């Protein structure tokens, strides 16, 4: 399992960086993707942050606890926020 996670890590970094760029630049995403420095910065940030978090959170109990807190936030807070945002856009 560790090798599976390690093998898809670059792909996850690229997908996350592209999604963050699309969220930040909205209509200007095509122009932003042409800037190689900007793309590299987004990818570098997305690649380094999990590694730094892994250096400081070396206890599996802490990682599972923080993941649980984040999953509660994602499942309970984001859907209503997305609903409100979509109603404003329509």
């Amino acid at each position: 399992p560790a090798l599976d996670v390690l093998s898809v890590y670059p792909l996850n970094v690229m997908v996350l960086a592209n999604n963050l760029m699309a969220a930040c630049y909205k209509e200007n995403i095509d122009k932003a993707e042409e800037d190689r420095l900007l793309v590299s910065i987004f990818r570098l940030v997305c690649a380094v942050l999990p590694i730094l978090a892994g250096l400081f959170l070396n206890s599996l109990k802490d990682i599972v606890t923080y993941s649980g807190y984040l999953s509660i936030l994602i499942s309970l807070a984001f859907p209503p926020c997305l609903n409100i945002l979509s109603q404003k856009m329509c």
Side-chain angles (χ1 to χ4, degrees), residues 18-55:
N18 288 343
N19 287 341
L20 288 176
M21 283 184 64
C24 290
Y25 289 99
K26 296 181 173 109
E27 289 84 20
N28 298 328
I29 187 65
D30 294 330
K31 192 171 186 177
E33 286 179 340
E34 293 174 3
D35 186 0
R36 298 303 306 159
L37 179 64
L38 185 64
V39 172
S40 297
I41 290 171
F42 268 87
R43 288 182 182 170
L44 183 66
V45 168
C46 290
V48 171
L49 285 179
I51 294 171
L52 290 177
L55 289 175

Side-chain angles (χ1 to χ4, degrees), residues 34-85:
E34 293 174 3
D35 186 0
R36 298 303 306 159
L37 179 64
L38 185 64
V39 172
S40 297
I41 290 171
F42 268 87
R43 288 182 182 170
L44 183 66
V45 168
C46 290
V48 171
L49 285 179
I51 294 171
L52 290 177
L55 289 175
F56 293 112
L57 296 173
N58 53 8
S59 170
L60 184 60
K61 179 184 170 192
D62 293 339
I63 294 172
V64 171
T65 301
Y66 291 128
S67 298
Y69 293 152
L70 187 60
S71 67
I72 290 172
L73 176 70
I74 290 172
S75 64
L76 296 178
F78 287 157
C81 292
L82 290 174
N83 186 16
I84 292 169
L85 182 65

